[in-house]
């Protein structure tokens, strides 16, 4: 099976320092990958680099067999969606927030709203359509943010610490719902998190980063059972593996 996404020799500098050095990173169609590591490991830089939202020193990003440069960055970005730690919702209704990406992509107002309602129902917040997006709880706001991302039917979903600002019970329930939706929809996804326990609800493959480099990758059970070095073993302990 050919890869959905291939990243080769990706290097990114921020503030004059090398923050990302990834020789090779692949995502298969429908695969869910978690990128875990402490703050400053390079997780966000990797996602922003993949999304072409951060300038890169070097590197090639290939999507569905063709370099992004051939697709064009704008066309490429319309096939992906990104969810951040903070929901970043517009000061309008929940329904209009979720429909906005569809309107940008040329959907009629009526079609955009119908698709948005379906996406909100998928994330169990369909009852919030008329509420101001700035009057939501943290968990509600992140569900709306995920619904907005899913509404555009992305081929690849990028998520940067999407649960970290939520309390533990809310994180666990949302991670379980997200994992179910991702697998039922067949959407490929990369989730960056410092907590691998959340990732277990979502992913097929776990990738550990430190210092801008990939230290180890494999299935979650493989990485947790056979850490490649002392860093991965220490990270395993601090994230509560048994």
């Amino acid at each position: 099976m050919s890869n959905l996404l291939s990243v080769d020799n990706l290097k990114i500098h921020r503030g004059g320092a090398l923050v990302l050095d990834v020789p090779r990173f692949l995502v298969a169609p429908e695969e869910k990958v978690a990128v875990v590591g402490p703050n400053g490991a390079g997780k966000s830089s990797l996602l922003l680099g993949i999304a072409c939202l951060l300038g890169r020193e070097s590197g090639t990003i290939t999507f569905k067999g063709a370099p992004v440069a051939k697709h064009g960055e704008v066309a490429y970005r319309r096939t992906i969606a990104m969810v951040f730690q903070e929901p970043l919702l517009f000061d309008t209704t929940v329904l209009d927030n979720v429909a906005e990406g569809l309107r940008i992509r040329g959907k009629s107002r009526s079609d955009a709203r119908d698709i948005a309602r379906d996406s909100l129902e998928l994330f169990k917040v369909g009852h919030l359509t008329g509420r101001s997006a700035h009057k939501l709880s943290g968990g509600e706001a992140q569900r709306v943010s995920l619904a907005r991302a899913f509404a555009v039917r992305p081929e690849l979903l990028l998520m940067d610490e999407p649960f970290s600002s939520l309390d533990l019970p809310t994180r666990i329930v949302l991670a379980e719902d997200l994992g179910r939706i991702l697998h039922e929809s067949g959407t490929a996804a990369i989730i960056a998190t410092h907590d691998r326990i959340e990732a277990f609800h979502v992913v097929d493959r776990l990738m550990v980063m430190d210092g801008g480099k990939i230290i180890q990758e494999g299935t979650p059970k493989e990485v947790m059972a056979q850490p490649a070095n002392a860093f991965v073993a220490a990270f395993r302990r601090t994230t509560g593996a048994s």
Side-chain angles (χ1 to χ4, degrees), residues 126-142:
H127 60 290
L128 299 176
T129 54
R131 186 179 298 182
S132 167
H134 286 184
K135 294 183 179 180
L136 302 175
S137 69
E140 289 171 341
Q142 199 58 290

Side-chain angles (χ1 to χ4, degrees), residues 50 60 64 95 105 138 143-145 155 157 162 166 237 240:
I50 289 172
T60 302
K64 298 176 70 173
L95 183 61
R105 287 164 172 78
R143 284 180 179 272
V144 171
S145 183
E155 295 185 64
L157 180 63
L166 307 177
R237 290 192 295 273

Side-chain angles (χ1 to χ4, degrees), residues 15-221:
L18 181 65
V19 297
L20 191 73
D21 185 2
V22 175
R24 186 102 166 126
F25 175 56
L26 306 172
V27 179
E30 301 191 12
E31 187 179 21
K32 289 77 179 165
V33 182
V35 182
V36 301
N39 292 336
K43 306 184 300 295
S44 295
S45 294
L46 176 62
L47 292 190
L48 291 170
I50 289 172
C52 296
L53 295 175
L54 196 62
R56 55 187 183 270
E57 184 79 10
S58 65
T60 302
I61 299 171
T62 302
F63 189 71
K64 298 176 70 173
V68 165
K70 182 176 180 180
H71 290 282
E73 288 189 3
V74 173
Y76 164 65
R77 282 201 290 264
R78 289 189 173 185
T79 68
I80 66 177
M82 189 161 185
V83 176
F84 297 92
Q85 178 178 339
E86 297 299 328
L88 303 177
L89 299 175
F90 303 121
D91 187 12
T92 184
T93 66
V94 164
L95 183 61
D96 284 342
N97 264 277
V98 178
E100 182 62 25
L102 294 158
R103 295 297 306 279
I104 291 172
R105 287 164 172 78
K107 293 288 185 182
S108 70
R109 180 180 176 83
S110 176
D111 287 347
R113 285 186 157 222
D114 287 344
I115 295 169
R117 287 189 184 95
D118 289 342
S119 193
L120 286 163
E121 289 291 346
L122 190 65
F123 282 91
K124 303 178 181 178
V125 283
H127 60 290
L128 299 176
T129 54
R131 186 179 298 182
S132 167
H134 286 184
K135 294 183 179 180
L136 302 175
S137 69
E140 289 171 341
Q142 199 58 290
R143 284 180 179 272
V144 171
S145 183
L146 286 163
R148 182 172 62 184
F150 265 86
V152 300
R153 306 292 192 268
E155 295 185 64
L156 175 64
L157 180 63
L158 307 176
M159 295 172 283
D160 191 4
E161 302 277 7
F163 312 125
S164 62
S165 63
L166 307 177
D167 61 77
L168 181 59
T170 302
R171 290 205 316 262
I172 292 173
V173 172
L174 183 50
E176 290 174 346
D177 285 346
L178 176 61
R180 172 182 52 80
I181 292 166
L182 283 171
H183 284 280
E184 288 177 354
S185 66
T187 305
I190 307 171
I191 177 171
T193 176
H194 65 274
D195 188 344
R196 64 92 191 161
I197 295 175
E198 295 170 0
F200 270 37
H201 293 289
V202 179
V203 304
D204 309 304
R205 181 159 53 98
L206 192 66
M207 188 174 81
V208 183
M209 290 190 72
D210 185 42
K213 297 178 182 292
I214 299 172
I215 305 301
Q216 185 176 359
E217 60 182 308
T219 68
K221 288 185 178 180

